[in-house]
Amino acid sequence: MIKRSVLTAVVILIGYHLLLPHLSRRFYQILGQQRGNFLREENYVADPRPSTNVIVGSSMAQTLNDNTLGPNYTKLTFPGNSVLTALELIKRSEKKPNLVLIETNACWKDADAELLHDAFDPWSVELRQLSPIFSEEGRPANFLGGIVEACVRRSCQIGLSFFPKRHEVLALSTPQTDPGEPVVQLKDVNMAEWDRTPPADVLNRQTAQLATLVDGLNRRGCHCILFTMPMDNTLANLSGPRTWRIKMHEQFPPSQYDWLTFDSTHHYLTTDGVHLIPSEADRVTETLLDQVRHIVDGSDYRARRTVAVKWTE
Amino acid sequence: MLFNSFPFVALLLATFVLYYLPFMRRWQLYVLTAASFVFYAWEQPVLLFLLLASIAINAVTSYFIATDSVSRQRFWAVTGVALNLGLLLFFKYSPLFANTFAGGAKTSIGHFLVTIPLPIGISFFTFQGISLMVEVFRDRQAAAEGKGHLVPGVVPGSFVEHLRNTALFKSFFPYLVAGPIVKAHEFYPQIEPKNLRNVNWEAAFRALTVGYFLKMVVADNLKDSTFWLEYPYFTLDSVPTLIALLFGYSIQIFADFAGYSLIAIGLGHLFGFRLPTNFNFPYISRSFSEFWRRWHISLSSWLREYLYLPLGGNRRGKVRTYFNLFVVMFLGGLWHGAAWSYAIWGTFHGLALAVERLFKDRIRLPQHWLVDSLRVLAVFSFVTLAWLLFKLPNFGDVLTYLGSFVNNHKPTRYLLVAAIITYSAPVILYYAWHLLKQRWALQLQRYEFLLFGAVMAAIILNSGSAGRFIYFQF
């Protein structure tokens, strides 16, 4: 029984290895936020390109528009996670991106040990090199889940068509692209959550970790640019975000580090007080790129950079 | 220490090798106990002192029950049970007491009480300790009345030997932090030198494979989806999504806990111990009483043996029976967690059991597969709805969730629903296989290796990110 089961498992693994390149990707889907994080992490580490520009951050920077950013930018943003995870990934992968844009909003969590383990554990790396079936992209659930998703979507649409006001309902059943108003409950919870001053030891520890990583990348020759993702103005001025901003500017003074700035008087539209709605995120992406261009092309760039490197030394 | 972590695998391998080395045979129990202490102390070493204190209390009091004069046996039994309950009440229920009666963290005593750490597994090893007290006491009572020994071999002649056995009984790592709750008479007679030749490899393989599959492939993947069942995220979801989330959580909690229990049973087999079955396909129960005979069987039988029957069970009239059911389920609910939502959850089940008993004598349902299916569906729906109190310990959030069925006109998150269906499907197949096996056991047994092979491949290819077992918090 045990031997035959093990043999069957081996046969299934070999069969899946042979089948995977031929499987249709028509319904392919990544099931869940954390799985998406694993996929981004693995793809980044396996990316053979020597140096692209990287945006690191949390779900807030995740809203930045990929199309506007273009192929020269890789978004290493992990929803529900910390910016430290992405910076650790760059550091430990020994890559040397030209530009590293660092979102400084979500630094209170430590780097995700499981993501880093998956990226650099020699066994996991060996297995992924041996066969793509061991990578996040090759998980059987991505194929099955995609098919199930298509079936669920179709069934819901058929079911909803029996409703008297079916057109209204169907319209509601399509994903919202621009909700326009923040979801009240989520915003309330976020407000309560963010209206707390973080303890001094957490602030010091986390910013020190961030500083170590930023300085390490600077020494490697990367150009680190920091920014704070805009959010709902009421939330942005609460004690939590304000304290983090002040601490970040103390740790990374604008005279020595490059910072992107966004119009703080503008009323940013969000889905929940924290995450920008797509149209707003588009505008922020464009502003971000403009500023990056200005910093990189600007006359003061080289001088600033020299100062930064000296300071880190 | 998680069963699916590298340190655990290393500890297991080292313990296994040492345990079965021929020249270590005399020291087998010490090897196992030492490994259990390392397992328990891994994350919070300081809590080991609590476990050691609990072992000492139980060894001493149970030894005195067995050896002291008949007139003092009751005193030692009451002392032992009271000390066990005292530890549990202090460490587990102080925050609840503080929040309910002492003004929460605002007062100095309240602040002290709410900051007491909850030692992992305390509910499990405390109940085992009580089982030891009661069984030794009953055994001595029976012996005094000339009825012979009920649980021979639980208390040996020497105190040192008893202390050694009790240390293993209380701390055996497969069940230490999340059960099954093993009773003294189930474990002590098994304490004897073990031989590698006697290991039931197939039983261990079956239990470990299915257990790890349920935990790593089903529960760990579902947890990423059912995360959205927390307040306020569910307020964003449509009715189909809300139903899918609750269904997914119901499957997750089963897969998580049944998976843990199976792993514990499999590990027990590796060291030559047979641990009791803890889950017997509870979601195909046709009644609530059947559900409690299938779900967390070791707890249900503990509550029945040490609480429901001593209260009088169903022998003291109908009203008293309903009262007993309520009390047992209320306390069973509180055992799960120090929050009133758990008590409500228990009462909810107590009410269901009482109503079921009330109608059982008056209504005879026909024996038909359709009726049975509807009964299964009704019980499953009720049980699933009650899990909401586990996921949302704040009762206000539960009401908001229920209100969302009426108030929410949001888009359905197809991908989320699809993820829940995809990862719940194996559990449905697991149940289907069980039902098919009842009818065609011999024919299907021949092909079971295919299923186990597929399950092993799924563990390798599709495990989720490791999460703590839900029942660790209890």
Side-chain angles (χ1 to χ4, degrees):
Chain A
M1 161 78 180
I2 299 174
K3 280 181 198 161
R4 280 186 297 166
S5 300
V6 173
L7 197 64
T8 307
V10 173
V11 170
I12 290 173
L13 292 178
I14 294 169
Y16 187 57
H17 170 79
L18 297 172
L19 188 69
L20 187 62
H22 309 290
L23 281 177
S24 160
R25 301 239 159 184
R26 192 177 154 203
F27 297 111
Y28 188 85
Q29 290 277 12
I30 298 296
L31 301 179
Q33 184 174 280
Q34 184 65 354
R35 299 326 313 174
N37 288 345
F38 275 98
L39 184 68
R40 266 190 295 281
E41 158 258 303
E42 285 181 11
N43 284 349
Y44 179 74
V45 175
D47 190 348
R49 287 179 294 175
S51 57
T52 65
N53 304 327
V54 184
I55 299 177
V56 297
S58 66
S59 56
M60 295 172 79
Q62 171 83 356
T63 58
L64 295 171
N65 190 321
D66 288 301
N67 292 332
T68 313
L69 288 170
N72 290 331
Y73 281 87
T74 301
K75 253 186 357 194
L76 208 49
T77 48
F78 298 124
N81 218 302
S82 164
V83 66
L84 299 176
T85 309
L87 289 172
E88 275 286 346
L89 268 176
I90 300 174
K91 180 187 145 195
R92 288 165 64 173
S93 65
E94 293 178 2
K95 294 200 172 201
K96 197 181 141 189
N98 295 330
L99 285 177
V100 183
L101 308 188
I102 302 165
E103 177 221 298
T104 58
N105 300 67
C107 291
W108 55 86
K109 281 186 189 172
D110 286 328
D112 187 326
E114 205 179 352
L115 273 175
L116 294 172
H117 180 265
D118 179 65
F120 303 111
D121 170 50
W123 283 41
S124 307
V125 175
E126 282 285 326
L127 281 173
R128 281 199 295 272
Q129 281 168 355
L130 184 72
S131 169
I133 63 170
F134 299 112
S135 69
E136 189 62 38
E137 207 163 350
R139 280 163 70 93
N142 299 346
F143 296 92
L144 285 173
I147 295 167
V148 175
E149 197 251 359
C151 296
V152 170
R153 185 184 291 271
R154 190 77 195 113
S155 314
C156 281
Q157 283 169 349
I158 292 169
L160 288 168
S161 66
F162 289 108
F163 280 72
K165 293 180 178 177
R166 69 191 181 104
H167 293 298
E168 286 173 35
V169 181
L170 279 171
L172 280 167
S173 71
T174 53
Q176 286 173 305
T177 50
D178 204 338
E181 60 178 71
V183 178
V184 179
Q185 292 97 324
L186 275 182
K187 193 180 164 187
D188 288 348
V189 170
N190 283 331
M191 287 204 41
E193 195 79 11
W194 293 49
D195 197 14
R196 290 187 205 133
T197 309
D201 59 324
V202 175
L203 270 173
N204 293 335
R205 192 183 62 231
Q206 296 303 95
T207 42
Q209 278 190 52
L210 184 61
T212 309
L213 288 164
V214 170
D215 292 343
L217 290 175
N218 273 334
R219 274 195 294 274
R220 199 183 281 180
C222 306
H223 180 195
C224 293
I225 301 176
L226 299 120
F227 68 99
T228 307
M229 268 302 279
M231 59 168 105
D232 182 277
N233 291 22
T234 327
L235 256 89
N237 291 317
L238 291 175
S239 137
R242 209 175 52 238
T243 313
W244 277 107
R245 271 201 310 276
I246 293 167
K247 182 70 189 170
M248 286 292 167
H249 280 87
E250 274 173 23
Q251 185 76 46
F252 305 102
S255 56
Q256 293 169 2
Y257 289 87
D258 287 315
W259 277 88
L260 305 180
T261 49
F262 300 98
D263 184 3
S264 59
T265 56
H266 177 70
H267 178 68
Y268 291 97
L269 293 177
T270 62
T271 52
D272 53 4
V274 177
H275 301 96
L276 298 177
I277 62 166
S279 57
E280 200 76 80
D282 286 353
R283 277 195 289 277
V284 168
T285 313
E286 280 165 16
T287 316
L288 177 141
L289 288 177
D290 278 348
Q291 290 192 53
V292 170
R293 249 175 257 127
H294 178 75
I295 290 172
V296 174
D297 299 340
S299 54
D300 57 343
Y301 163 58
R302 200 164 293 276
R304 266 170 183 265
R305 192 135 186 243
T306 315
V307 172
V309 171
K310 271 186 186 162
W311 185 79
T312 56
E313 284 164 355
Chain B
M1 197 185 278
L2 290 174
F3 280 169
N4 48 348
S5 63
F6 179 74
F8 176 74
V9 175
L11 176 72
L12 177 66
L13 287 175
T15 311
F16 188 81
V17 170
L18 271 179
Y19 186 73
Y20 285 114
L21 280 176
F23 60 88
M24 292 295 285
R25 211 150 171 238
R26 274 186 63 203
W27 306 98
Q28 276 183 329
L29 291 190
Y30 298 101
V31 169
L32 220 44
T33 310
S36 301
F37 288 166
V38 172
F39 174 82
Y40 191 71
W42 189 255
E43 280 177 28
Q44 285 177 286
V46 70
L47 292 180
L48 185 60
F49 292 107
L50 177 71
L51 181 64
L52 293 173
S54 177
I55 289 168
I57 288 167
N58 284 284
V60 170
T61 47
S62 59
Y63 190 75
F64 278 128
I65 295 170
T67 53
D68 212 344
S69 61
V70 177
S71 58
R72 291 174 66 84
Q73 281 169 357
R74 188 174 293 274
F75 164 76
W76 287 115
V78 170
T79 306
V81 172
L83 286 172
N84 271 301
L85 285 177
L87 278 181
L88 185 65
L89 287 172
F90 180 74
F91 282 100
K92 186 161 179 175
Y93 297 101
S94 292
L96 178 67
F97 179 83
N99 288 325
T100 311
F101 303 111
K106 289 169 202 155
T107 61
S108 58
I109 178 113
H111 180 75
F112 167 71
L113 292 174
V114 296
T115 50
I116 292 170
L118 174 64
I120 192 166
I122 190 167
S123 311
F124 292 92
F125 66 70
T126 302
F127 268 32
Q128 293 201 173
I130 294 173
S131 145
L132 175 65
M133 298 299 139
V134 176
E135 289 194 7
V136 175
F137 178 70
R138 284 179 182 170
D139 179 78
R140 295 298 128 154
Q141 294 282 304
E145 290 166 16
K147 293 176 187 169
H149 289 284
L150 297 177
V151 279
V154 170
V155 182
S158 131
F159 175 72
V160 175
E161 199 182 334
H162 180 58
L163 180 65
R164 185 198 65 187
N165 291 353
T166 306
L168 182 63
F169 169 63
K170 292 273 291 182
S171 68
F172 189 36
F173 70 86
Y175 61 62
L176 173 60
V177 292
I181 300 168
V182 180
K183 297 184 194 84
H185 72 264
E186 294 167 331
F187 193 81
Y188 279 81
Q190 296 189 61
I191 300 177
E192 57 185 9
K194 308 285 181 187
N195 203 313
L196 191 60
R197 281 197 307 275
N198 299 333
V199 172
N200 187 342
W201 290 104
E202 188 169 324
F205 171 76
R206 280 170 181 270
L208 289 171
T209 310
V210 177
Y212 275 112
F213 174 78
L214 287 175
K215 171 61 184 160
M216 294 170 74
V217 180
V218 178
D220 282 349
N221 278 308
L222 273 175
K223 97 175 176 305
D224 291 344
S225 301
T226 57
F227 159 78
W228 299 103
L229 188 55
E230 280 168 20
Y231 179 81
Y233 304 112
F234 62 74
T235 57
L236 297 174
D237 286 316
S238 68
V239 174
T241 318
L242 290 172
I243 294 170
L245 283 171
L246 189 53
F247 171 79
Y249 185 66
S250 188
I251 298 292
Q252 182 200 340
I253 200 166
F254 164 75
D256 192 274
F257 195 17
Y260 183 92
S261 296
L262 281 169
I263 297 170
I265 290 167
L267 294 172
H269 278 300
L270 288 181
F271 293 99
F273 288 89
R274 278 177 63 90
L275 304 183
T277 305
N278 215 18
F279 286 84
N280 183 21
F281 299 88
Y283 288 159
I284 50 169
S285 305
R286 286 164 298 180
S287 64
F288 294 102
S289 48
E290 187 184 349
F291 175 79
W292 281 106
R293 287 195 300 274
R294 289 171 175 270
W295 178 276
H296 202 174
I297 299 166
S298 62
L299 175 68
S300 313
S301 66
W302 193 100
L303 290 172
R304 187 176 162 277
E305 223 169 291
Y306 302 122
L307 195 59
Y308 180 68
L309 293 180
L311 282 170
N314 60 0
R315 299 186 307 272
R316 295 192 186 174
K318 285 185 178 173
V319 177
R320 184 59 191 263
T321 305
Y322 298 143
F323 174 76
N324 290 346
L325 283 172
F326 262 115
V327 169
V328 170
M329 294 312 293
F330 175 82
L331 292 175
L334 264 187
W335 174 88
H336 281 85
W340 292 117
S341 63
Y342 293 107
I344 298 170
W345 172 81
T347 314
F348 208 46
H349 273 278
L351 185 72
L353 287 168
V355 170
E356 184 179 277
R357 185 171 273 274
L358 183 70
F359 285 103
K360 203 171 120 187
D361 304 331
R362 300 175 188 194
I363 300 171
R364 282 259 168 263
L365 289 170
Q367 291 288 323
H368 189 274
W369 69 267
L370 191 62
V371 178
D372 285 350
S373 305
L374 289 172
R375 287 174 66 186
V376 168
L377 189 67
V379 173
F380 174 73
S381 306
F382 181 93
V383 168
T384 297
L385 189 64
W387 289 136
L388 206 51
L389 289 155
F390 267 53
K391 186 69 179 171
L392 305 171
N394 184 347
F395 197 66
D397 296 346
V398 174
L399 296 178
T400 311
Y401 172 86
L402 296 174
S404 299
F405 275 85
V406 184
N407 303 328
N408 280 13
H409 302 289
K410 303 279 166 42
T412 295
R413 291 204 275 168
Y414 298 119
L415 194 57
L416 182 62
V417 176
I420 291 170
I421 293 173
T422 305
Y423 289 120
S424 301
V427 173
I428 296 167
L429 291 174
Y430 177 52
Y431 274 72
W433 183 261
H434 169 72
L435 291 172
L436 288 172
K437 258 179 84 174
Q438 287 180 338
R439 192 168 276 198
W440 297 292
L442 280 175
Q443 293 92 323
L444 290 177
Q445 211 162 8
R446 237 181 286 163
Y447 302 105
E448 259 187 338
F449 72 92
L450 293 173
L451 207 64
F452 277 91
V455 161
M456 288 171 77
I459 294 171
I460 294 167
L461 295 174
N462 219 101
S463 289
S465 46
R468 286 174 79 85
F469 288 90
I470 294 175
Y471 263 66
F472 274 13
Q473 63 186 305
F474 306 138

